[in-house]
Amino acid sequence: MTTPYEPDMPRTMKVRGKALRTGWTTGTCASAAAKAAAEALATGTAPEVVEVALPSGRRVTFAVDSCALGEGRAEAVVVKDAGDDPDVTHGAHLTATVSWRNEPGIELDGGVGVGVVTKPGLGLEVGGPAINPVPRRMIEQAVGESVDVDARGVRVVISVPEGEKMARKTTNRRLGILGGISILGTTGVVRPFSTASWRASVEQAVSVLAAQGERTLVLCTGGRTEQGAMKLLPKLPDVCFVEVGDFTGAALRRAVEHGVTQVVFVGMAGKLTKLASGVLMTHYTRSKVDTALLGEITRDMGGSADLAARVAEANTARHAYELWEEAGLLGRAGRELCRRVAGVLEHFAEDQAAQVPGASGIAAQVVLVDFTGKRMIAMYGRLAR
């Protein structure tokens, strides 16, 4: 049995000539907008810049895009700069409307363009705004620096014009967040091309699935494989399907913690080859396709010595796939590849379960799809339907 392992992620996704520019989370920008509106409400003067604290204690300054005063209320806008991260919320107008209320303290709510939580498993109140705990604390701290909320309370509403449109490019709907984006961030800073954020989103998706009472997790390597998986398993709700990317190990670990009993992995030849080799974190800088393993499979499935040698020396997993297809061996070799991947996934899940009191292992089913992601080539295990 191949021993599974997870290589560490690289500190940067690739070597670059210059450093990528960091940006600010929606949570940080919302806190800056809230402070600007609170300051305007308290002083009667609209600020041009505000300073807010990050969770680390570091303080940063933001330009206020606009600020308007009304009767007993003020509204301010801060435009999000995501730096060099390809963030769908880059350029979003984080808007805070602050008004007086009779009771002391801060009442925080979401307005237009901020999603509403409709499913458990996110650590947020169902029916409430999708404003995560760290941004919530940042907003409360920022407002408290401008208004003595123990003496006079305020109501803060965070909204994001175009937020509902932006949310269509996220996984919010599948997670049960409807009507807009989430106000996110744990550090306040956006790291460009953040693999950490992808990993966190994978783990969160597994938690939401489990909170719905679902016990089958379908891991897909990307958008094409996810579409194919949904056609293969049409009876499963959307929440069961998670675009796992490179973070299979992280997804399985969270699945074991939540009592998920079955995992279906749907992928193409390259990713499956890495997993069959025991690699549970498959980023290209930390793992390579082991074509020697594919040569071994070729021999085991009755391929000639010449074919096995050519597969072992193939340039890519796709090249090996094509050699199998030409030789009429694709179905048998593909199924053996799936079998080996299932063994690695189940072995890893058993190891994780041994560390969690009361946890049990996971049954794995694996599907090899073609390079369109739509056609099933081979399978090992019984698909959940």
Side-chain angles (χ1 to χ4, degrees):
M1 171 64 68
T2 302
T3 302
Y5 69 102
E6 287 183 282
D8 291 334
M9 278 301 303
R11 292 191 178 185
T12 56
M13 291 286 281
K14 62 180 75 172
V15 177
R16 297 179 181 268
K18 63 178 182 178
L20 292 171
R21 192 168 58 88
T22 58
W24 307 109
T25 62
T26 48
T28 301
C29 296
S31 72
K35 182 168 185 179
E39 187 175 315
L41 183 65
T43 65
T45 302
E48 295 183 356
V49 295
V50 290
E51 183 184 86
V52 295
L54 301 179
S56 66
R58 174 187 166 198
R59 298 188 69 83
V60 291
T61 301
F62 287 85
V64 180
D65 185 69
S66 64
C67 188
L69 277 159
E71 185 65 35
R73 65 192 290 276
E75 184 173 283
V77 177
V78 168
V79 179
K80 177 176 173 176
D81 178 3
D84 287 327
D85 193 68
D87 192 323
V88 298
T89 59
H90 176 70
H93 286 57
L94 275 296
T95 305
T97 304
V98 180
S99 55
W100 298 116
R101 69 176 198 149
N102 295 328
E103 299 83 8
I106 298 174
E107 177 188 355
L108 179 59
D109 203 354
V112 173
V114 172
V116 175
V117 178
T118 66
K119 293 179 181 179
L122 291 168
L124 297 172
E125 181 182 355
V126 173
I131 303 176
N132 279 18
V134 172
R136 182 178 291 271
R137 290 194 294 270
M138 292 175 68
I139 292 166
E140 292 172 348
Q141 178 180 343
V143 170
E145 291 177 356
S146 296
V147 176
D148 183 358
V149 294
D150 291 329
R152 191 175 188 186
V154 293
R155 183 170 190 265
V156 180
V157 178
I158 304 298
S159 55
V160 185
E162 302 295 316
E164 186 169 5
K165 183 178 179 180
M166 293 173 185
R168 295 172 192 164
K169 299 179 181 180
T170 72
T171 59
N172 272 15
R173 176 167 289 277
R174 189 170 302 172
L175 295 176
I177 299 172
L178 306 181
I181 65 168
S182 303
I183 306 301
L184 302 171
T186 54
T187 65
V189 180
V190 173
R191 303 292 177 189
F193 302 94
S194 172
T195 52
S197 64
W198 191 339
R199 175 176 176 151
S201 71
V202 167
E203 293 173 335
Q204 184 182 59
V206 177
S207 296
V208 170
L209 170 154
Q212 310 312 304
E214 298 293 338
R215 291 295 176 263
T216 297
L217 167 64
V218 185
L219 299 178
C220 313
T221 54
R224 286 179 294 169
T225 53
E226 184 178 66
Q227 290 174 11
M230 287 180 167
K231 290 181 179 179
L232 283 172
L233 301 164
K235 293 183 180 179
L236 288 179
D238 286 355
V239 74
C240 292
F241 297 84
V242 176
E243 193 173 323
V244 73
D246 295 312
F247 300 107
T248 303
L252 287 176
R253 188 176 295 108
R254 184 60 60 91
V256 168
E257 291 171 359
H258 284 301
V260 171
T261 57
Q262 179 172 246
V263 168
V264 181
F265 194 99
V266 182
M268 299 177 193
K271 195 75 72 173
L272 294 190
T273 303
K274 290 185 178 185
L275 291 170
S277 301
V279 182
L280 273 298
M281 205 300 297
T282 52
H283 190 265
Y284 74 94
T285 64
R286 286 298 184 270
S287 60
K288 295 182 179 180
V289 170
D290 183 3
T291 53
L293 180 144
L294 300 180
E296 177 185 311
I297 288 175
T298 305
R299 289 190 301 273
D300 290 349
M301 294 298 102
S304 67
D306 176 66
L307 177 62
R310 286 192 291 139
V311 169
E313 295 173 0
N315 294 324
T316 62
R318 181 167 190 151
H319 184 198
Y321 173 105
E322 291 168 352
L323 290 172
W324 283 346
E325 190 169 32
E326 290 171 7
L329 198 66
L330 181 57
R332 278 181 288 158
R335 186 176 187 279
E336 174 62 11
L337 177 61
C338 291
R339 187 191 70 79
R340 294 190 184 203
V341 173
V344 168
L345 300 184
E346 290 180 352
H347 186 185
F348 183 82
E350 287 174 8
D351 287 346
Q352 298 306 308
Q355 302 173 41
V356 179
S360 58
I362 290 176
Q365 291 79 39
V366 180
V367 179
L368 169 65
V369 292
D370 69 2
F371 293 97
T372 69
K374 298 177 181 178
R375 185 166 66 97
M376 184 177 73
I377 300 301
M379 180 188 71
Y380 178 81
R382 180 179 298 175
L383 282 176
R385 293 188 182 273

